[in-house]
Amino acid sequence: MLSKKTKYGIKALSYLAKRTDKSPVQAAEIARSENISPKFLESILLNLRKSGFLGSKKGKGGGYYLIKDPKEIQMTTVIRVLEGPIAMIPCVSLNYYEKCEDCPDELTCSVHKLMIEVRDSTLKVLGENTLADLS
Amino acid sequence: MLSKKTKYGIKALSYLAKRTDKSPVQAAEIARSENISPKFLESILLNLRKSGFLGSKKGKGGGYYLIKDPKEIQMTTVIRVLEGPIAMIPCVSLNYYEKCEDCPDELTCSVHKLMIEVRDSTLKVLGENTLADLS
DNA sequence: TATAAACCTATCGGTTTAGTAGGTTATTGA
DNA sequence: TCAATAACCTACTAAACCGATAGGTTTATA
């Protein structure tokens, strides 16, 4: 399950991607428009700025803006930053790999192979979609 | 992320599916063989029995056994029982649907469409695999 | 009748989630 | 220069969930 943090983050990015002009948008405006708790969204936007998705401007007329072209932002990278691993289990994660304590051998694990299949199909969908595709 | 409960449950079911004879297997044996906390596994097996996957026999020589042919058990149904929804977000779940509080309209939600795509690709993989395929 | 094994209930420490509160810093326009 | 604005930062919290543990009850077998 996607956390609200991730969902809100995607909605905020998508909100910015839809705008034609690239002037800064205040966090409060996004929060209002997308029905997100303002303070919670603030922390998410901060996170997205530190991760290199957003730029920001302080003071009056300030706000957040997209740094890259929405077409260049794959959903895989967005979700990895906000949510963490895309795989359903750490032992098949490409970016957040972790060995299972209970498995002596991954190759004979009945769950492992299945989860690789799931991971790859999910990666395909998320890799083919960019921020620009969220309409 | 899959919970350990789900992972252990799948491993236990797979352990039973691999056996040629269909005599009951004790929870403790599965726990030992799969490196699972015995008491935790007990509660999972109980869950699987109540959900109709397993039968059980009490007393000496008792244990758990598969009720159906492993080929007939789709991984979708296993995961739904153990983990809950397969979708990454409740508003696209087929079996555990829930409306989002923040979305006035699902059709215009940028996250919604993407998550339907992810859901469908995951359902395809899990639907094509049965307990028998876990080898 | 002793033993084995499923079954049941309750509890628990730790972590994560989804926020809230309250203040600090930097920019802008009057 | 000063007040307003909006990002930035730190800390806290209530509730839920997770992974397990403890301890007892029931039922079947030898």
Side-chain angles (χ1 to χ4, degrees):
Chain A
M1 277 282 165
L2 235 47
S3 62
K4 300 230 165 166
K5 180 183 161 193
T6 302
K7 188 192 174 193
Y8 294 163
I10 296 175
K11 283 180 107 178
L13 287 173
S14 169
Y15 183 88
L16 291 172
K18 273 180 221 158
R19 293 177 56 90
T20 42
D21 78 359
K22 294 308 175 193
S23 61
V25 181
Q26 299 158 33
E29 178 189 326
I30 304 177
R32 217 178 308 117
S33 171
E34 300 289 337
N35 297 304
I36 305 171
S37 151
K39 278 293 206 176
F40 191 29
L41 179 62
E42 215 178 84
S43 69
I44 297 167
L45 293 174
L46 221 42
N47 187 339
L48 288 170
R49 197 217 62 193
K50 289 177 181 171
S51 309
F53 292 103
L54 300 179
S56 67
K57 209 176 155 233
K58 281 187 179 181
K60 191 165 188 179
Y64 292 94
Y65 51 91
L66 277 179
I67 283 182
K68 298 182 208 159
D69 183 349
K71 286 191 205 67
E72 306 302 320
I73 303 177
Q74 286 188 328
M75 294 313 295
T76 45
T77 70
V78 173
I79 289 183
R80 280 191 180 119
V81 160
L82 290 167
E83 187 77 11
I86 288 167
M88 291 184 91
I89 208 164
C91 69
V92 301
S93 171
L94 299 175
N95 290 254
Y96 300 81
Y97 174 84
E98 227 169 297
K99 195 183 176 312
C100 299
E101 295 167 23
D102 54 310
C103 279
D105 179 18
E106 285 178 2
L107 298 179
T108 63
C109 172
S110 54
V111 181
H112 193 78
K113 278 185 302 177
L114 179 64
M115 290 304 134
I116 285 181
E117 272 191 69
V118 174
R119 179 202 68 192
D120 287 342
S121 81
T122 304
L123 280 180
K124 184 166 188 297
V125 172
L126 295 179
E128 284 168 350
N129 277 278
T130 70
L131 253 196
D133 299 314
L134 301 196
S135 86
Chain B
M1 277 283 164
L2 276 193
S3 63
K4 300 229 167 170
K5 180 182 159 192
T6 302
K7 187 192 175 194
Y8 293 163
I10 295 175
K11 283 180 107 178
L13 287 172
S14 170
Y15 182 89
L16 292 173
K18 273 179 220 158
R19 293 178 57 90
T20 41
D21 77 359
K22 295 307 175 192
S23 61
V25 181
Q26 300 156 34
E29 178 189 326
I30 304 177
R32 217 179 308 116
S33 171
E34 300 289 337
N35 297 305
I36 305 171
S37 151
K39 279 293 206 177
F40 191 30
L41 180 62
E42 213 177 86
S43 69
I44 296 168
L45 293 174
L46 222 42
N47 187 338
L48 288 170
R49 197 217 61 192
K50 288 177 181 172
S51 310
F53 291 103
L54 300 179
S56 66
K57 209 177 155 230
K58 284 184 177 182
K60 190 163 189 178
Y64 292 93
Y65 51 91
L66 278 179
I67 283 183
K68 298 182 207 159
D69 183 351
K71 285 191 206 68
E72 306 302 320
I73 303 177
Q74 287 188 326
M75 294 312 294
T76 45
T77 71
V78 173
I79 289 184
R80 281 191 179 120
V81 160
L82 289 167
E83 186 77 11
I86 288 167
M88 291 183 89
I89 207 163
C91 68
V92 302
S93 171
L94 298 176
N95 289 255
Y96 299 82
Y97 174 84
E98 226 169 299
K99 194 183 176 312
C100 299
E101 295 167 23
D102 54 311
C103 280
D105 178 17
E106 286 179 0
L107 298 179
T108 63
C109 173
S110 54
V111 181
H112 193 77
K113 277 186 301 179
L114 179 66
M115 290 304 134
I116 285 182
E117 272 192 68
V118 173
R119 180 202 67 192
D120 287 343
S121 81
T122 305
L123 280 181
K124 183 164 187 299
V125 172
L126 295 179
E128 283 168 351
N129 277 277
T130 70
L131 253 196
D133 298 314
L134 301 196
S135 88

